[in-house]
Amino acid sequence: MSDLVRVLILGTGQMGSAIVRVLLEKQGLEIVGAYDREPKLSGTDLGQAVGLENPLGTIVEFDLATAVHGCRPDVAIQATGSQLATVTPDIEILLSQGVSVISLAEEMAYPWCRSAATAQKMHELAVANHAVVLGTGVNPGFVLDLLIITLTGVCAHVESIAARRVNDLSAYGATVLRAQGVGSTPEAFARGVQDGTVTGHLGFPESMHMITTALGWRIDSIEQTREPIISTVRRETANVVVEPGQVAGCQHRAVAYRNGSPLITFDHPQQVCPELDGVQTGDRIEIRGTPDIHLEGHPEIAGGQGTAAIAVNMIPRVLSAAPGLHTMADLPVPAAMHDDVRHFVQPVQVQADG
Amino acid sequence: MSDLVRVLILGTGQMGSAIVRVLLEKQGLEIVGAYDREPKLSGTDLGQAVGLENPLGTIVEFDLATAVHGCRPDVAIQATGSQLATVTPDIEILLSQGVSVISLAEEMAYPWCRSAATAQKMHELAVANHAVVLGTGVNPGFVLDLLIITLTGVCAHVESIAARRVNDLSAYGATVLRAQGVGSTPEAFARGVQDGTVTGHLGFPESMHMITTALGWRIDSIEQTREPIISTVRRETANVVVEPGQVAGCQHRAVAYRNGSPLITFDHPQQVCPELDGVQTGDRIEIRGTPDIHLEGHPEIAGGQGTAAIAVNMIPRVLSAAPGLHTMADLPVPAAMHDDVRHFVQPVQVQADG
C-alpha cells in the first residue's frame, strides 16, 4: 500500500489515550478520526481529549457514523467497553462501512463464547464488506491464551495447563477498582460477587475457549471462584485507601473441566500495592505434556502498556488478513514495529472457492 | 478436506524416528512414504528403520523422486540435514511435484540468510506448484526467534533483546557432540573452531534475521564467538567421556550490532551433563523496551521432543498457507493437536492480484 494507513480511535479514556500515544510514534499511519460516547468531549481536539500538550487537528465526534463518513478510516481501534453487547453496535457500524476493527473489549477476544450468533453475524458482515474484525489485548488476547497456545506448539501432546498472573492494580481508576472490590469490606465483597458488581477478571472463558479451539480440546464446564484478598497492611493509591482487614483485590480463579478433571486452571489475583503485603507480581505458565513446559517472569507483562502496544502492532496483521472475524490464534503473531507500518502489511489474502 | 493428510518422511535417524512416533499418535493423517539417503536402509520397512516393534507397511526408498511418485504426499517432513545447500535439492524435487515441505534444516528457518537466491528460487517453485515450504524446529524456529517475536508483540518499542539458552547434550550422538567439541582438549577445540569442525549452534544468524525482519530492524553485523566449556568434573554419557580439564561443550555467543551497539545478544552454552558442574539448564528472554519483558523457564524447552512436535504441529498451518516460502513468523502459531489434523486446516488462502 502506498497511502498512509488511516486509523480511527474509539474511546479517549485511559486506554484510548495510551493508544494515541503509541500511534503517534509510528510511521506510515495517521490518526484520521476519533469518537467518544461522552457528549461533553464532542467537538474537542483529540490531543486535548487525551491530555497531550498540543492539538492533533482531529476532532472527537460523538456520532460514530458521522466520524466514519468524515474520515474514511482503514482500521478502527476500539477502547470503549468490555462487554460484547456494549461494543457490538459500533463494530457493526464500522464493518458495514468496510472499516476493519481491532477491539480491546475482553469479550471480543473470543466472542463465540458470549454469543455465537453475534459472532457469526459479525463474521458475515465483515466478509460481505471485505473487512476484518479482531479482539485483542494483553489479557485476554495474549498472556493467558495466545502465549500459552504458542508454547503448546512444541508439545506432541498436552495433559493440562496451569497459569497464574499476579498483577498490580495501583495505576487503575475507580471503575476497575470497584469491579475488583478494592477498598470494600469482606462482607461487601461477598455481596458484590453475589449481585455481579464484583466481577474480577473478564476474559477467563474467552481465553479458555481460544485455547481449547486451538488444541482441539473438548471441555465440559468452566467453574469460577472470586475470593477477597484481605490486606494485612494499609495500602493507598491515588484512587483508594485499603485499611488492614479490608479488601485489597480479588483472587479470581477459573478451572475448565473435562470428565471431572481440571484441564486448564487459571489463577489471577489482582490487587493494589501487592508489594506492601510481600506479594511479588508475575506471570507463570505450566504445561504438563510431552515435553513439560515451564515459563515465568517477574514482574507481570504490563497490562496497560502492553494492551496499547498490541492493539497498534496488530494493525498490519489485520490489514493482511482474509476478511472475517478472527482471533489472535488465527493470525500471525504481532511484533513490535520499528519501521513504516505499511512495510508489515502483506498482500491481502483472499479466500479461495471451496 | 475429507481424505487423510498424506505425509512423507525424509530421514529416519534420531529426529526422523521421533517424528514418526508423533505422527503415529495423530488422527487424520497417514505416513504414506519414507526416504533415507543411507543405501543400506533402502527397501526396509519404516517401522524397522525407526526401531518400532511392528512394521508400518511403508518401505524406505533411496530415491526421492521414486518415493514421491509412489506415494503422492500432501506434505513432506524433512529431517535429513542442517545446511541449506544440503537440503535444497530434495526440497526442489518435492516442490516441483507440488508437495509442501516442512524442513528441520537449521538454515531453512530463514533461508534468505544463507542464500537469498536459493530462497527466491524456492519461493517461486512453491508458488508455481501451489505448494508451501517452511523451516521450523525448537531452535532455530521457536525459542530464540518465534517466541521472542511473539513477546515483542506487547511492546510499543524495543531497545534490545538478550536471550540465553542453556541445554543438555547428553542424549545426543557422536555427530552432534563432535560439532560442539565435546570430549576434546581445549587446544583441539580451538583448532576445531578455526578449521570449522567445531560449529557450535547452527541458527543464530537465521534467528536474528527472523527477528529483525519481523520488527523492521536494520542491523550492521553479527559477531559470533565459540568458547570451550571446560569441565571441572568427570562427565560420561553413552557416547562420550569428558575428564576434568577437557571440553564438556561449546559456549556459543552471537551479538547483532547496529551503530556499534548490541541490539540482539544470544548466549547458548551447550554441554553434556551440565548438572554435574552445578549448571542449571533453562531458557531466558529479556526484552528491554516499553514495557520490559522478562521470561525464563527451567529446564530448557526440550530440543529433541520439541522439534519433533513442532514439525508435526505445523502440518495444518502449512496446508492452510498461501503458496510460497514462509517463516515461522509469517504463519499463525502452531498448537498441540488433540483432534483430527484435518480439523485444523483452514480453507486455503490464495493471493489476490495486486
Side-chain angles (χ1 to χ4, degrees):
Chain A
M1 38 200 323
S2 53
D3 295 336
L4 294 176
V5 174
R6 301 171 64 83
V7 183
L8 167 67
I9 182 89
L10 277 66
T12 61
Q14 194 166 351
M15 183 49 65
S17 300
I19 292 166
V20 166
R21 284 166 173 77
V22 176
L23 287 169
L24 290 173
E25 289 174 5
K26 300 298 170 191
Q27 308 158 42
L29 59 76
E30 55 184 336
I31 304 175
V32 294
Y35 155 81
D36 200 292
R37 290 170 305 177
E38 171 56 53
K40 70 174 178 230
L41 287 173
S42 181
T44 60
D45 182 89
L46 176 61
Q48 181 191 339
V50 301
L52 294 174
E53 272 192 30
N54 297 315
L56 290 173
T58 300
I59 297 304
V60 179
E61 298 281 352
F62 175 67
D63 181 73
L64 181 57
T66 305
V68 172
H69 196 73
C71 72
R72 298 168 293 107
D74 299 305
V75 61
I77 300 179
Q78 182 183 51
T80 54
S82 298
Q83 272 82 23
L84 186 63
T86 312
V87 299
T88 294
D90 286 352
I91 292 174
E92 290 181 352
I93 289 172
L94 291 160
L95 293 178
S96 65
Q97 297 296 314
V99 180
S100 290
V101 184
I102 296 169
S103 177
L104 298 175
E106 285 88 337
E107 292 183 358
M108 272 299 293
Y110 197 88
W112 298 268
C113 201
R114 184 61 61 178
S115 168
T118 301
Q120 181 61 26
K121 189 179 167 200
M122 247 179 223
H123 177 68
E124 288 168 6
L125 199 56
V127 170
N129 293 283
H130 307 286
V132 170
V133 51
L134 169 78
T136 192
V138 158
N139 192 35
F142 192 81
V143 176
L144 294 184
D145 36 51
L146 179 67
L147 186 55
I148 290 173
I149 291 166
T150 304
L151 291 170
T152 73
V154 290
C155 296
H157 59 88
V158 174
E159 284 159 37
S160 62
I161 294 166
R164 180 173 171 86
R165 178 166 165 83
V166 183
N167 67 341
D168 185 348
L169 296 177
S170 302
Y172 287 86
T175 311
V176 169
L177 298 180
R178 250 197 318 274
Q180 304 284 341
V182 180
S184 68
T185 62
E187 296 73 26
F189 183 97
R191 283 194 304 273
V193 170
Q194 282 236 316
D195 68 21
T197 53
V198 173
T199 53
H201 172 60
L202 289 174
F204 279 142
E206 285 75 13
S207 291
M208 287 173 159
H209 279 102
M210 205 193 303
I211 292 171
T212 58
T213 299
L215 272 64
W217 266 352
R218 181 183 54 74
I219 54 174
D220 301 322
S221 63
I222 295 174
E223 288 179 18
Q224 300 193 54
T225 54
R226 297 166 184 84
E227 300 290 337
I229 299 169
I230 312 290
S231 192
T232 67
V233 295
R234 187 172 195 276
R235 309 190 193 186
E236 182 174 351
T237 76
N239 296 296
V240 72
V241 174
V242 179
E243 299 292 349
Q246 285 189 331
V247 176
C250 178
Q251 155 55 16
H252 194 166
R253 164 179 261 237
V255 184
Y257 291 93
R258 183 180 57 197
N259 300 334
S261 296
L263 210 57
I264 307 174
T265 304
F266 286 155
D267 274 306
H268 190 10
Q270 303 197 73
Q271 63 204 290
V272 294
C273 311
E275 75 288 354
L276 294 182
D277 236 341
V279 173
Q280 186 187 30
T281 65
D283 296 303
R284 190 177 71 203
I285 296 170
E286 301 269 2
I287 298 171
R288 294 289 305 267
T290 308
D292 290 335
I293 299 202
H294 167 97
L295 268 190
E296 67 179 284
H298 305 277
E300 85 278 18
I301 293 179
Q305 285 181 324
T307 296
I310 201 170
V312 174
N313 290 337
M314 286 309 292
I315 290 175
R317 302 291 180 274
V318 159
L319 295 179
S320 306
L325 170 62
H326 295 281
T327 75
M328 287 299 287
D330 301 333
L331 301 181
V333 293
M337 287 191 293
H338 284 265
D339 195 357
D340 190 302
V341 173
R342 294 167 292 181
H343 293 183
F344 301 101
V345 178
Q346 304 296 320
V348 173
Q349 309 284 312
V350 178
Q351 209 130 331
D353 296 329
Chain B
M1 36 199 324
S2 53
D3 295 336
L4 294 176
V5 174
R6 300 171 66 82
V7 183
L8 168 67
I9 181 91
L10 277 66
T12 61
Q14 195 166 350
M15 183 49 65
S17 300
I19 292 165
V20 167
R21 283 166 173 77
V22 176
L23 287 169
L24 290 173
E25 289 174 3
K26 300 298 169 190
Q27 308 159 42
L29 59 78
E30 54 184 338
I31 304 174
V32 293
Y35 155 79
D36 200 292
R37 289 170 306 178
E38 171 56 54
K40 71 173 179 233
L41 287 173
S42 181
T44 60
D45 182 88
L46 176 61
Q48 182 192 339
V50 302
L52 295 174
E53 272 193 31
N54 297 314
L56 290 173
T58 301
I59 298 303
V60 179
E61 298 280 354
F62 176 67
D63 182 74
L64 182 56
T66 306
V68 172
H69 196 73
C71 73
R72 298 169 293 106
D74 299 306
V75 61
I77 300 180
Q78 181 183 51
T80 55
S82 297
Q83 272 83 23
L84 185 63
T86 313
V87 299
T88 294
D90 286 352
I91 292 174
E92 290 182 352
I93 290 172
L94 292 161
L95 294 177
S96 65
Q97 297 296 315
V99 180
S100 290
V101 183
I102 295 169
S103 176
L104 298 176
E106 284 89 337
E107 292 183 0
M108 273 298 296
Y110 197 87
W112 298 268
C113 202
R114 184 61 60 179
S115 168
T118 301
Q120 180 62 26
K121 189 179 167 200
M122 246 179 223
H123 177 68
E124 289 168 6
L125 200 56
V127 170
N129 293 283
H130 308 287
V132 170
V133 51
L134 170 78
T136 191
V138 156
N139 191 36
F142 193 81
V143 175
L144 294 183
D145 37 50
L146 179 67
L147 186 55
I148 290 173
I149 291 166
T150 304
L151 291 169
T152 73
V154 291
C155 296
H157 59 89
V158 175
E159 284 160 36
S160 62
I161 294 167
R164 181 174 170 85
R165 175 166 168 83
V166 183
N167 68 341
D168 185 348
L169 296 177
S170 302
Y172 287 85
T175 312
V176 169
L177 298 180
R178 247 196 320 273
Q180 304 285 341
V182 180
S184 68
T185 62
E187 296 72 26
F189 183 96
R191 283 195 304 274
V193 170
Q194 283 236 316
D195 68 20
T197 54
V198 172
T199 53
H201 171 61
L202 289 175
F204 279 142
E206 285 74 13
S207 292
M208 287 172 159
H209 280 103
M210 205 194 302
I211 292 172
T212 58
T213 300
L215 272 65
W217 266 352
R218 180 183 55 74
I219 53 174
D220 302 321
S221 64
I222 294 174
E223 288 179 18
Q224 301 193 51
T225 54
R226 297 165 184 84
E227 300 291 336
I229 299 168
I230 312 290
S231 191
T232 68
V233 295
R234 187 171 195 276
R235 310 191 194 186
E236 182 174 351
T237 76
N239 295 297
V240 72
V241 174
V242 179
E243 299 292 348
Q246 286 190 331
V247 176
C250 178
Q251 155 56 15
H252 194 166
R253 164 178 261 237
V255 184
Y257 291 93
R258 183 179 57 197
N259 300 335
S261 296
L263 210 57
I264 307 174
T265 304
F266 287 155
D267 274 304
H268 190 12
Q270 305 197 71
Q271 63 203 291
V272 294
C273 313
E275 75 288 354
L276 293 182
D277 236 340
V279 173
Q280 186 187 31
T281 65
D283 296 302
R284 189 178 71 203
I285 297 169
E286 302 269 1
I287 298 171
R288 294 290 304 268
T290 308
D292 290 334
I293 299 201
H294 168 98
L295 268 190
E296 66 180 283
H298 305 277
E300 83 281 17
I301 293 179
Q305 284 181 325
T307 296
I310 201 169
V312 175
N313 290 337
M314 286 310 291
I315 291 175
R317 301 291 181 274
V318 159
L319 294 178
S320 305
L325 170 61
H326 295 281
T327 75
M328 287 299 288
D330 301 333
L331 301 180
V333 293
M337 288 191 293
H338 284 265
D339 196 357
D340 190 302
V341 173
R342 294 167 292 182
H343 292 183
F344 300 100
V345 178
Q346 304 295 318
V348 173
Q349 309 284 312
V350 177
Q351 209 130 329
D353 294 329

